[in-house]
């Protein structure tokens, strides 16, 4: 596929990869001149759209993408908490790490969500990772998680970032592709927006679908609080996106409401949920996770009766879905089975893999041999 790199702001183009425009210094994107819709139906990740993504130099995937589109208390949500590190960033990380010619080691400054996601994918590719951290702006849970991954941590900033990449945007656009596959009629999509780069990727995906004659782009709403400062938000407005300010109290209420339902999302993601409540209709809230559930268990805590029963079923019957396990049990909720499986997986007592079934992604669980 013939690709070029283009500045999102001034339109400068180049045949060579670059993260920043040499003319105006703004973010670059990559575009193709010959888009044609193509889906690898059996692929349970963003790479089902491989022909619409940049050419891979060695695909690195952790089954990111194909996140569920579902209703929660009547609100349509695109549940990005189901990605490997609970964040939409995993989509961009997979494309960036797969498509760039990378050195043996990477140094980057800490950025919430982004650093955990990129570090996970860099390490998967065998690349050493060093992260520069400002202690005042770092979430403790993310610092601990990076330490657990084996990342080298240094304190201080060196202005080294790899987030604003054309390949990150390519990963984010797959959200639009999935929405097209998952739902025929959409009024709008509400995106939590700080820098605007996620929203830009989603809008790019919808414009590409329109270019291929597949759908008219739905309305794009940018949920924010305070004063929108990012230049990219203005560019998105010029392309038809609509800013929608969310009251901080309502966003906090949504954050708590979602947590009570087992969804631990970023505060800014709760703004998107609040905005859809206000808008009504068939609008979709894009929700990304906080990763807080990673720290909700104790490794030395003895297994519960339910966990032991699940292990017994998997040993006897082999690979199964959570639903199949639940059907083989009595007086247990499906949610309880999912929670038990999550802890067993974190403890390494159960392994899982994602496969495609009837155009949707399902997870199969099994007990590791040996």
């Amino acid at each position: 596929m013939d690709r070029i790199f283009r500045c999102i702001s001034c339109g400068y183009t180049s045949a060579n990869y670059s993260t920043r425009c040499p003319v105006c210094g703004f973010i670059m994107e990559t575009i193709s001149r010959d888009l044609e819709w193509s889906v690898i139906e059996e692929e349970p990740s963003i790479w089902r759209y491989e022909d619409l993504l940049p050419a891979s130099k060695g695909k690195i995937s952790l089954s990111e993408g194909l996140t569920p589109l579902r209703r929660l208390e009547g609100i349509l949500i695109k549940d990005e908490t189901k990605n490997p590190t609970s964040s939409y960033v995993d989509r961009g990380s997979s494309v960036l790490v797969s498509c760039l010619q990378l050195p043996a080691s990477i140094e980057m400054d800490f950025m919430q969500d982004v650093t955990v996601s990129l570090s996970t994918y860099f390490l998967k590719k065998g690349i050493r990772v060093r992260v520069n951290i400002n202690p005042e702006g770092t979430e403790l849970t993310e610092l601990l998680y990076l330490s657990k991954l084996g990342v080298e941590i240094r304190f201080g900033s060196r202005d080294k970032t790899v987030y604003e990449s054309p390949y990150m945007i390519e990963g984010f656009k797959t959200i639009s592709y999935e929405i097209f596959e998952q739902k025929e009629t959409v009024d709008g999509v509400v995106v939590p927006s700080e820098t605007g780069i996620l929203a830009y990727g989603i809008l790019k995906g919808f414009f590409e679908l329109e270019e291929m004659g597949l759908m008219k782009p739905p309305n794009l709403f940018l949920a924010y609080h305070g004063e929108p400062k990012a230049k990219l938000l203005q560019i998105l407005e010029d392309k038809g996106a609509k800013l929608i300010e969310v009251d901080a109290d309502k966003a906090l209420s949504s954050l708590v409401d979602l947590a009570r339902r087992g969804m631990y999302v970023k505060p800014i993601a709760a703004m998107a949920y609040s905005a859809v409540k206000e808008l009504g209709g068939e609008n979709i809230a894009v929700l990304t996770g906080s990763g807080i559930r990673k720290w909700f268990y104790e490794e030395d805590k003895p297994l519960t009766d339910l966990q032991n029963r699940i292990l017994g079923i998997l040993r006897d019957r082999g690979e199964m879905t959570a639903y199949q396990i639940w059907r083989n049990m009595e007086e247990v909720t499906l949610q309880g089975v999912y929670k038990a499986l999550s802890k067993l997986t974190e403890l390494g007592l159960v392994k899982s893999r994602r496969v495609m079934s009837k155009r949707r992604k399902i997870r199969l669980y099994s007990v590791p041999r040996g």
Side-chain angles (χ1 to χ4, degrees):
M1 184 180 291
D2 187 16
R3 286 188 173 273
I4 61 170
F5 296 91
R6 181 178 66 187
C7 175
I8 291 174
S9 180
C10 73
Y12 166 85
T13 61
S14 171
N16 300 316
Y17 173 85
S18 178
T19 59
R20 290 282 174 173
C21 174
V23 176
C24 71
F26 204 66
I27 306 165
M28 300 284 282
E29 64 179 332
T30 179
I31 57 174
S32 171
R33 295 191 178 95
D34 54 352
L35 289 172
E36 184 176 345
W37 182 247
S38 175
V39 178
I40 305 170
E41 292 287 353
E42 65 275 13
E43 173 58 46
S45 76
I46 63 169
W47 293 97
R48 64 194 280 104
Y49 312 114
E50 186 166 3
D51 291 343
L52 297 162
L53 295 172
S56 166
K57 298 181 184 299
K59 187 164 60 179
I60 300 296
S61 176
L62 299 172
S63 291
E64 60 292 318
L66 272 187
T67 55
L69 181 64
R70 61 189 181 93
R71 292 188 188 273
L72 190 64
E73 296 295 303
I75 305 296
L76 268 173
I77 63 169
K78 182 67 168 153
D79 189 359
E80 292 296 289
T81 71
K82 300 301 183 184
N83 282 307
T85 72
S86 303
S87 172
Y88 69 87
V89 181
D90 294 337
R91 297 172 180 269
S93 295
S94 180
V95 177
L96 185 147
V97 175
S98 297
C99 297
L100 275 183
Q101 190 68 46
L102 294 165
S105 62
I106 292 285
E107 181 179 354
M108 57 181 165
D109 284 354
F110 176 83
M111 188 174 182
Q112 260 187 28
D113 298 331
V114 176
T115 304
V116 166
S117 177
L118 277 170
S119 296
T120 301
Y121 281 81
F122 284 140
L123 292 168
K124 176 71 174 178
K125 195 167 185 175
I127 295 171
R128 296 190 304 276
V129 181
R130 175 186 297 161
V131 175
N132 306 315
I133 286 181
N134 178 351
E136 294 181 359
T138 305
E139 286 190 3
L140 177 60
T141 53
E142 294 204 359
L143 176 59
L144 293 173
Y145 189 73
L146 288 170
S147 299
K148 187 177 180 180
L149 283 177
V151 168
E152 180 184 348
I153 295 173
R154 290 189 176 184
F155 293 98
S157 176
R158 291 172 172 79
D159 194 27
K160 292 186 177 292
T161 178
V162 288
Y163 177 55
E164 292 175 338
S165 162
Y167 292 153
M168 277 284 184
I169 293 172
E170 288 297 287
F172 300 159
K173 77 178 184 183
T174 59
I175 292 176
S176 306
Y177 292 170
E178 290 174 19
I179 289 173
F180 167 68
E181 285 200 272
Q182 292 168 331
K183 186 164 175 56
E184 293 181 0
T185 305
V186 179
D187 292 335
V189 178
V190 182
V191 186
S193 301
E194 288 179 300
T195 65
I197 194 166
L198 170 62
Y200 190 87
I202 291 174
L203 188 62
K204 184 177 190 291
F206 282 128
F207 281 164
E208 290 183 353
L209 289 165
E210 181 180 39
E211 183 182 336
M212 291 182 280
L214 297 173
M215 74 178 297
K216 180 181 178 182
N219 293 317
L220 186 71
F221 299 96
L222 313 177
Y224 76 99
H225 175 72
E227 185 67 28
K229 298 176 182 178
K231 180 180 177 180
L232 189 51
L233 296 181
Q234 179 60 59
I235 292 173
L236 284 162
E237 272 198 294
D238 294 341
K239 291 180 178 290
K242 302 171 184 177
L243 287 169
I244 179 167
E245 186 172 11
V246 178
D247 180 80
D249 290 341
K250 290 182 178 179
L252 180 60
S253 176
S254 290
L255 184 73
V256 173
D257 187 41
L258 287 165
R260 285 172 176 162
R261 287 164 173 77
M263 288 198 67
Y264 303 97
V265 303
K266 289 288 183 183
I268 192 168
M271 292 182 191
Y273 187 79
S274 292
V276 172
K277 277 186 176 180
E278 296 290 328
L279 290 168
E282 291 295 278
N283 290 292
I284 299 168
V286 178
L287 300 187
T288 191
S290 68
I292 193 170
R293 284 181 295 179
K294 299 179 189 300
W295 307 100
F296 274 3
Y297 75 96
E298 299 173 24
E299 294 191 21
D300 58 351
K301 188 176 181 179
L303 297 183
T304 65
D305 176 64
L306 175 56
Q307 291 164 358
N308 278 314
R309 288 165 64 192
I310 289 173
L311 286 174
I313 290 172
L314 290 173
R315 290 191 186 105
D316 290 342
R317 306 198 176 206
E319 197 171 49
M320 302 173 74
T321 65
Y323 179 78
Q324 289 170 331
I325 295 169
W326 174 65
R327 288 295 299 270
N328 281 273
M329 308 186 83
E330 294 181 357
E331 299 180 355
V332 174
T333 65
L334 181 58
Q335 184 180 18
V337 171
Y338 272 115
K339 286 182 178 179
L341 283 168
S342 176
K343 290 188 178 182
L344 287 169
T345 303
E346 289 170 342
L347 292 169
L349 299 175
V350 166
K351 67 178 182 178
S352 68
R353 66 186 182 99
R354 293 180 179 181
V355 298
M356 294 301 298
S357 176
K358 298 180 180 178
R359 298 193 67 183
R360 68 185 184 91
K361 185 163 59 175
I362 63 172
R363 188 180 290 277
L364 295 173
Y365 297 90
S366 63
V367 176
R369 292 184 178 179

